[in-house]
Amino acid sequence: MRGRSVGFVPTMGALHEGHMSLVKRSRHENDINVVSIFVNPTQFGPSEDLEKYPRDIAGDIRKLRETEVDILFLPEPQFIYPEGFSTSVTVNGISEKLCGRFRPGHFAGVATVVTKLLNIVRSTRAYFGQKDFQQTAVIKQMARDLNMDVQIVACPTVREQDGLAMSSRNVYLDKERRKAATVLFQTLHEASEMIRSGGKASAVRDAMARRLAGEPLITKVDYASLYDPGTLDEIGEMGGEVLVAGAIRLDETRLIDNVLVRP
Ligand code: AMP
């Protein structure tokens, strides 16, 4: 493959238009395109949804064929984690913020599997979604820290018509909860408007909390606030670009979303 660029999109399958936007971008920018589907057990906590995580290999293959992907990498768990596997990649600091506080070990699971996948595929570029802002930040940091010879490309979030960020997990939502789920993006959107019109961080935060508290089908708000997109620390005052991010639970279904705003 000398001289030819390779684009790689790692996924956990149940592919939707969000995934496919990454695949299309990769196709546009590279000569050879690789997609992986691997539901990585080490990034799920003991009480999380590994067993019931949506799987649709036949549908995924059809979509990848239609998009003319060259290679689908579909490893078995024992290929990725053979007996005796004993290494873990931990990205300190940013892995502990936001989702990291609620999903201990999650980002070490992600960083480890992405390291393995990148080492196996050895692509020129690898594509990740802004929807998982923290995940993309962790991977960028890791690639930098470990001198990985790959360009990490972040792609914008693809949404449903009503604003809900596309996610494989959206299929868990019944009709009522699917409708209620839009409150997350609405909250982020309203917060962005407040920021753009000069709102103070504390006022925006309070408005976000009130908006989410108004939706009775939300069983828990893990977090919803304003963060520095570089450090992922909560911000006290407006300065440069702001990451408005939230994670909520509707019963068992955990949804995350974020938008970047310039005050
Ligand atoms: P997953 O299969 O959920 O692990 O996602 C695989 C990749 O697709 C990750 O880089 C995600 O950030 C990205 N992705 C998932 N949903 C979306 C979306 N709605 N828009 C853009 N990228 C997405």
Side-chain angles (χ1 to χ4, degrees), residues 160-184:
E160 303 284 358
Q161 289 229 315
D162 61 7
L164 179 68
M166 289 195 182
S167 163
S168 304
R169 289 192 165 99
N170 291 349
V171 300
Y172 295 149
L173 299 167
D174 61 19
K175 211 169 153 205
E176 263 185 309
R177 281 168 188 79
R178 167 64 188 80
K179 210 165 153 224
T182 57
V183 73
L184 179 54

Side-chain angles (χ1 to χ4, degrees), residues 86-244:
S86 57
T87 299
S88 176
V89 180
T90 305
V91 179
N92 296 316
I94 54 170
S95 293
E96 290 139 36
K97 318 279 171 69
L98 301 173
C99 289
R101 284 173 32 225
F102 302 90
R103 304 186 72 188
H106 168 71
F107 289 111
V110 169
T112 305
V113 79
V114 171
T115 299
K116 287 194 62 120
L117 293 169
L118 291 175
N119 282 340
I120 295 165
V121 176
R122 296 205 272 153
S123 60
T124 320
R125 300 182 185 87
Y127 295 80
F128 296 87
Q130 190 198 308
K131 154 137 188 299
D132 300 276
F133 187 93
Q134 188 176 13
Q135 170 171 284
T136 304
V138 165
I139 289 161
K140 278 187 173 166
Q141 177 83 44
M142 174 183 85
R144 214 167 32 238
D145 287 351
L146 299 183
N147 303 83
M148 291 178 157
D149 188 18
V150 61
Q151 190 187 326
I152 305 299
V153 184
C155 306
T157 303
V158 178
R159 300 178 177 284
E160 303 284 358
Q161 289 229 315
D162 61 7
L164 179 68
M166 289 195 182
S167 163
S168 304
R169 289 192 165 99
N170 291 349
V171 300
Y172 295 149
L173 299 167
D174 61 19
K175 211 169 153 205
E176 263 185 309
R177 281 168 188 79
R178 167 64 188 80
K179 210 165 153 224
T182 57
V183 73
L184 179 54
F185 176 65
Q186 284 160 10
T187 302
L188 303 182
H189 180 70
E190 286 161 19
S192 324
E193 299 284 285
M194 279 182 80
I195 294 169
R196 281 197 200 96
S197 52
K200 279 170 60 173
S202 55
V204 179
R205 239 190 303 276
D206 291 348
M208 291 174 77
R210 270 198 308 275
R211 186 72 160 90
L212 293 171
E215 174 45 69
L217 288 175
I218 294 180
T219 32
K220 186 163 180 281
V221 177
D222 277 355
Y223 61 85
S225 191
L226 313 182
Y227 306 89
D228 177 320
T231 61
L232 302 189
D233 286 326
E234 205 165 25
I235 59 163
E237 275 174 50
M238 297 301 176
E241 208 174 23
V242 180
L243 175 71
V244 189

